[in-house]
Amino acid sequence: MAGSAAIVGAGMAGLSCATRLAEAGWRVALFDKGRGPGGRMASKVVTAQGLCFAFDYGAQYLTARDPAFVAQVRDWERQGVAARWPAAGEDGWVGMPGMNTLVAHIAEPLGVAWSTHIRAIRRDHDGWWLSHDERTEGPFDILVLAIPADQVPALAAEHDPALVELAEAHPSEPCWTVLLGFETRLSAPDILSAADPIDWAARNSAKPGREGGEAWTIHATPDWSQRHVESDRTSVTASLLRALEEQVGTLPVPVHATAHRWHYARSGKAGIGAYHRPDIALAACGDWLIAPRVESAWLSGRQAADTLIG
């Protein structure tokens, strides 16, 4: 029987769960502390010295292998918000014109409460209550935590020690990301082979639907990112720029260069799909419950919803 659901986290997992529940007639309320759609599928456009650069600085692309997700991605393609990116492989896709477009597209009909940081949760005989900086929301029949494993303990510790233990066993890895914009095209392939400290380097402007100048995104390896997690952005940018130069040769001075630190970049992989405590009407979903992929987040959210609906 349909009821009301609160979902904390409006990334791919939370949105997938919310969409499925809404289709089944549930009243869904989504809360996310981010200022807008994107999260780890973040994108932005930067202007520097009269030039415009488009960057995906979170997930660079997604793969579609599960039949249900393949069908979903093809539907996004028909709607013009996804396109194949052959450079990333036969099953590689990107959002159009940015990776965050997919998140925004899914979120648009769901009425997400952005810039809403859920600080505490409690449960009584009426259901779940969620407190943020302005007020307390509720009651809700069920609660879904669609947040990185690292953020689960702060909310769930008083309610579900087993979920906290599972989350703590599958922490995220950090990632430093550097965004570079050049006046001229680099003499390099669109995607470079990983070579420590670079885990991924690609010409973002080579993706379908991207406009603007020569834009490069560099992800550092997890180990390097962890060792330098407290370094300043200037030194990180300089280090990864040197590493790129070691691979492609002398580089022109970038007209735009900055770094972004992801504390929760690459999720763990519990391999269980989704989590459900029917006795207290609590569920959890996210890529960390399967494996670190966009597809995993979507599948986990869908599985959590199906379990609740069932």
Side-chain angles (χ1 to χ4, degrees):
M1 186 170 115
S4 60
I7 301 178
V8 181
M12 183 60 74
L15 293 172
S16 172
C17 183
T19 300
R20 189 76 161 170
L21 290 174
E23 290 172 348
W26 286 71
R27 290 176 286 109
V28 181
L30 273 156
F31 305 93
D32 195 287
K33 66 179 181 178
R35 288 176 291 179
R40 288 176 295 162
M41 294 176 69
S43 306
K44 65 180 176 181
V45 176
V46 175
T47 301
Q49 297 185 21
L51 299 173
C52 186
F53 302 99
F55 295 103
D56 297 317
Y57 59 102
Q60 293 298 291
Y61 64 97
L62 58 86
T63 55
R65 299 165 187 169
D66 180 271
F69 191 58
V70 169
Q72 176 62 79
V73 172
R74 287 176 176 166
D75 184 56
W76 288 334
E77 181 185 31
R78 286 190 292 271
Q79 297 180 64
V81 294
R84 291 184 182 274
W85 187 29
E90 293 183 3
D91 57 357
W93 297 77
V94 294
M96 291 275 285
M99 290 298 290
N100 65 348
T101 307
L102 290 175
V103 180
H105 176 75
I106 306 168
E108 195 278 328
L110 294 171
V112 179
W114 302 108
S115 299
T116 305
H117 190 170
I118 300 302
R119 306 285 185 179
I121 59 174
R122 64 179 174 87
R123 178 173 168 78
D124 61 20
H125 63 278
D126 291 320
W128 285 101
W129 301 83
L130 287 68
S131 298
H132 52 82
D133 293 336
E134 295 185 5
R135 59 182 177 274
T136 296
E137 310 273 359
F140 299 97
D141 297 325
I142 61 172
L143 171 63
V144 181
L145 300 180
I147 52 181
D150 316 76
Q151 297 175 351
V152 167
L155 290 180
E158 295 182 14
H159 306 281
D160 194 344
L163 175 58
V164 171
E165 183 178 356
L166 179 67
E168 291 178 339
H170 298 89
S172 304
E173 294 176 322
C175 179
W176 270 111
T177 298
V178 166
L179 309 179
L180 303 171
F182 298 94
E183 285 186 298
T184 58
R185 182 180 174 86
L186 303 188
S187 179
D190 290 342
I191 298 176
L192 298 180
S193 301
D196 193 69
I198 294 177
D199 188 49
W200 166 273
R203 178 180 285 113
N204 204 86
S205 45
K207 297 176 182 177
R210 272 60 175 176
E211 297 181 354
E214 178 79 346
W216 279 77
T217 300
I218 304 173
H219 288 323
T221 62
D223 288 345
W224 192 92
S225 296
Q226 184 63 66
R227 292 197 307 272
H228 296 85
V229 71
E230 297 302 331
S231 297
D232 63 273
R233 287 173 171 78
T234 301
S235 65
V236 167
T237 301
S239 294
L240 293 182
L241 182 59
R242 284 195 302 270
L244 179 64
E245 197 161 40
E246 289 174 3
Q247 284 210 50
V248 306
T250 302
L251 296 172
V253 176
V255 297
H256 175 78
T258 190
H260 180 87
R261 177 177 55 197
W262 294 99
H263 283 292
Y264 312 126
R266 300 172 178 87
S267 75
K269 44 184 177 182
I272 65 171
Y275 180 90
H276 187 210
R277 273 284 305 275
D279 56 318
I280 58 171
L282 175 67
C285 58
D287 52 353
W288 69 274
L289 286 160
I290 301 180
R293 295 192 300 274
V294 173
E295 178 175 19
S296 298
W298 187 88
L299 290 170
S300 180
R302 182 185 176 97
Q303 182 173 328
D306 285 343
T307 300
L308 294 166
I309 293 168

